[in-house]
Amino acid sequence: MSVRRSASLAAVALVAAVAAGCGVTEVDTSQPGYVQPGEEFWDGWKVPAGSVLLGTPFPEEFRPAQEDLPEDPESVTAEFMLTEDPYTAVRDLAAQMEAQGLRAVSSPDFDTCGVDGVFACSVYGVGADGLTKIQAHFTGHENPDEAESFARLEVEIGAWTTIYPRRTDWIDFAAPQGESGFEPPKADAGELGPGTEVPLLGRDETLGEVPEGTRLLAPLYNPSATYGVHALFHVEDEAALADIEAMAAAAATGERYPDGDLTSGDLTSHRISYDGSAGGCQVELDTVLAGDAVTARLHVVCD
């Protein structure tokens, strides 16, 4: 199946603007690859106001960590870029939880949305059966470094979630009102296009470059306490997938597991992964067809 197609006029104009020396060019989140606020992205859940979904949700395979959990939670994870005051997205998602018949809750250890150079907020949705059906983590840095490059929301949805699938000491979530005063830093489109280096952040090592027919949907960041990289690619030319697979192989320190397909609902992801035991790098590359393109997620976590 081919996903090759010509670059959009918007993308061509964007490249021309950068080449003309116009300075920092803000990412156009109205172009293909971004799902807009209010659009449904999974099982009745909609992209929260003040954010855009990066590509597509990704199916996940989770095994029950406790007894009496559903065998197949049909879980997905999704990543969003925050484009407005984060309180907007927090309130929207909490309201969606209530509308879905869930109790919006927080941990008694961390029950407020903090803003002090770093924005951090977590909210969970619990069903009548006592299982946590959704977990959402908002984070952003006013002065980001290479480890934390953009303000984002990470969501996991399923019959139960991997963190706190069943917990009894939840407290009701008090959605923050007004404005947080936190302004999400703007992503620079000039740092996301073809030719951009994809390094192992935290080490002086480059895995490759964003290939032609591809662009990053958001800045790279390090998901590890040591070194690694997390990258989301919007792939319009299937030939570029081989280059992205080569990046995964370049990051690997262990053997390649058998490839597999993960399915949740009508979503299917092809997964390439490498063993990261013995102090190495755990590498996962997932690809999902999203409209006329593919969203590829490269996730490298090193010990």
Side-chain angles (χ1 to χ4, degrees):
M1 175 171 50
S2 174
V3 295
R4 184 186 300 271
R5 64 187 179 92
S6 61
S8 66
L9 291 176
V12 172
L14 178 60
V15 172
V18 174
C22 295
V24 173
T25 303
E26 185 179 339
V27 172
D28 177 12
T29 57
S30 68
Q31 63 185 317
Y34 302 97
V35 183
Q36 302 304 307
E39 292 191 32
E40 183 175 341
F41 69 92
W42 176 255
D43 197 24
W45 295 95
K46 297 179 180 180
V47 178
S51 73
V52 289
L53 172 65
L54 302 177
T56 177
F58 283 84
E60 302 290 356
E61 184 178 44
F62 298 131
R63 297 177 180 175
Q66 300 178 8
E67 294 181 357
D68 302 324
L69 295 179
E71 287 295 326
D72 184 3
E74 289 232 318
S75 293
V76 297
T77 57
E79 193 165 358
F80 306 77
M81 180 186 292
L82 300 177
T83 57
E84 300 177 11
D85 188 303
Y87 280 1
T88 303
V90 172
R91 287 192 292 264
D92 185 302
L93 192 54
Q96 288 191 56
M97 291 179 188
E98 299 288 353
Q100 291 259 14
L102 305 178
R103 177 189 171 202
V105 299
S106 60
S107 164
D109 305 318
F110 186 70
D111 60 352
T112 59
C113 296
V115 183
D116 184 14
V118 176
F119 179 82
C121 189
S122 296
V123 58
Y124 308 82
V126 178
D129 57 3
L131 295 178
T132 308
K133 311 290 187 177
I134 179 173
Q135 59 187 31
H137 305 291
F138 300 79
T139 184
H141 293 240
E142 289 181 350
N143 299 299
D145 59 21
E146 67 174 14
E148 200 62 66
S149 299
F150 69 100
R152 69 184 190 274
L153 159 64
E154 295 174 295
V155 169
E156 180 194 324
I157 303 171
W160 50 269
T161 59
T162 51
I163 299 179
Y164 312 130
R166 191 192 309 272
R167 185 170 175 168
T168 59
D169 62 344
W170 293 119
I171 61 175
D172 290 333
F173 179 73
Q177 302 303 307
E179 297 183 352
S180 69
F182 178 89
E183 184 175 350
K186 304 301 183 185
D188 183 356
E191 298 179 354
L192 305 183
T196 299
E197 286 191 349
V198 179
L200 270 181
L201 298 172
R203 288 189 72 170
D204 185 18
E205 183 177 344
T206 298
L207 302 178
E209 296 181 352
V210 177
E212 293 296 328
T214 303
R215 54 185 159 83
L216 293 168
L217 289 170
L220 305 168
Y221 66 87
N222 184 359
S224 172
T226 55
Y227 62 98
V229 69
H230 182 92
L232 281 169
F233 302 89
H234 178 75
V235 183
E236 296 180 336
D237 186 342
E238 64 180 355
L241 291 174
D243 294 321
I244 298 173
E245 290 180 15
M247 293 183 207
T253 56
E255 65 174 314
R256 179 169 171 169
Y257 293 120
D259 294 3
D261 290 330
L262 304 179
T263 300
S264 290
D266 58 359
L267 278 176
T268 297
S269 171
H270 182 70
R271 172 166 289 183
I272 295 172
S273 58
Y274 292 84
D275 180 22
S277 60
C281 295
Q282 182 70 41
V283 179
E284 292 179 349
L285 174 61
D286 293 280
T287 52
V288 175
L289 183 65
D292 294 329
V294 165
T295 303
R297 180 182 64 183
L298 176 63
H299 188 75
V300 181
V301 177
C302 305
D303 290 336

